[in-house]
Amino acid sequence: MAKELRLMKGNEAVAEAAIRAGCDGYFGYPITPQSEVMEYLMAEKPHERTGMVVLQAESELASINMVYGGACCGKKVMTSSSSPGISLMQEGISYLAGAELPCLVVNVVRGGPGLGTIQPSQSDYFQATKGGGHGDYKLITLAPSSVQEMYDFVKVAFNLAFKYQNPAMILSDGAIGQMMEKVVLEDQIPRLTETEIIKKCPWATTGKTPDRERNIITSLDLDPARQERHNLKLQEKYKKITENEVRYETIDCEDAEYIFVAYGTSARICLKALQLAKEKGIKVGLFRPITLFPFPVNQIKEMAGKIKGILSIEMSAGQMIEDIKLAVEGKIKVEHYGKMGGIIPSPNEVLEALEQKIIGG
Amino acid sequence: MTEEIIIAGFGGQGVLSMGKILAYSGIMQDQEVSWMPSYGPEMRGGTANVTVILSDNRINSPILTQYDTAIILNQQSMDKFEPEVKPGGLLLYDPNGIIRPPERKDINIYKIEASKEASNLGLPKIFNMIVLGGYIKIKPIVKLDNVMLGLKKSLPPRYHHMIPDNEKAIKRGLEIVEDVQKV
């Protein structure tokens, strides 16, 4: 059968991917630049296609707590928002992580802090990868750099979330959310039946049967010894994720003297900068982290032994650069170049920064 | 082949939908495409623009500062994008409302009286399709058949009754585009 192709916005791709991944419920509250996610779902009426519930909650707080409720029942549930909205959800996200519940949160990042701007930014890296909410927890964080990846990563994120019983985040930005590209659609995955959920999620609150103990889902345990054991278990899980789930892409890195490290929209800008650099005879490659947690520490560390310098490109004041520096362990020069406030750096500016900060610096 | 295009005008002129039809036309002939709009306050009546890229290869940056082609539909966009056309590139504009015509000597310049023609035809809404027709006449990077398919694909079914008028407009655009300067 011919592949189904569509021209879609990143936000629409997320919505269609959710339906086709067999998502059970979406709970959200509108905010630019991600409102098309729920707009598309509302127009598409997935309850008629698969039985998926789509609900506009009264606030972001309500959305994330509806996600908590759905996840407790072993359902494949998600929400999406943009930076200020994701900030409002942090308490709920911490609870989901503490209670070891799988879910998907999509952040189509806009410039901050505060209400900031509706234009694209990557200044929520710290929030996504270093916590955001309180407590020692991690989100599995995927960073798409095309509309196709916005689509593909929904399924990937759900699979990882259920595999590790942990919330997963897609960290996108306003540019990828709003732009349209060609998307190859996959066939519909049926939603799980109640029986299948009971089998797949023995931890879920699916109704007690005589042959098992009650399932209690909570993030509260007042006994310090038990709470520490719970924390150690979480840390063990994050270690496993770090060992097994690192994803990245390298382009022209084999004989490169310098490397751009960039994710999402910035990685796309860097691809153009690679072209411009080639014309000037500069040997530069692109390392694109796809998972931001787990961060590709070992891969960057290994690469650092073979090159002269790294320029981290991020639409922020420089957040990911901290992880790159930790990976590189001071062996080579690492600098940041980026723009804030919703401005996207141009490929020319990126190349100039490489020449000034790394090659000439 | 890679063609990097900026289409710029007022919000409401159909700039974004012209870009969308062009992008869909590219998909119809197996190209990679990207469509990156200016979004936000501009959409509510100010200037609007969209960057469309059609390519046989993976598209790198969807956001650009230099273009192979600029399709310009108001003075503000002329001021902003005329300097950003690559040397030897193409600038296509509708003279309606343009008080300072393009001045560069190192680019190909074409004009199309699309808004005048649209009101002559009594169909002001299909103004953007006349411009699109003009563009594919100058640069036939997408086949006319694929543009027609792209048009159908990008319009929701409830607007399909408007397809004949749009097709007529595209064909009219092919006829009335004029060259001003060739380099």
Side-chain angles (χ1 to χ4, degrees), chain A residues 118 180 182 249 268 272, chain B residues 4 31 35 39 58 60:
Chain A
I118 60 174
M180 288 203 280
K182 186 164 81 177
E249 184 189 13
R268 297 287 295 266
K272 185 85 183 179
Chain B
E4 299 172 333
Q31 285 172 319
W35 174 98
Y39 68 92
R58 175 178 176 176
N60 45 46

Side-chain angles (χ1 to χ4, degrees), chain A residues 327-340:
Chain A
V328 165
E329 293 175 337
K331 277 184 221 136
I332 51 168
K333 191 169 189 184
V334 182
E335 294 283 343
H336 161 81
Y337 178 75
K339 293 273 194 180
M340 291 175 279

Side-chain angles (χ1 to χ4, degrees), chain A residues 31-33 60 81-89 107-117 124 127:
Chain A
I31 182 171
T32 308
E60 286 86 351
S81 189
S82 178
S83 309
I86 296 288
S87 290
L88 287 165
M89 291 181 186
N107 184 359
V108 183
V109 179
R110 60 190 248 182
L115 273 179
T117 168
D124 296 357
Q127 188 193 52

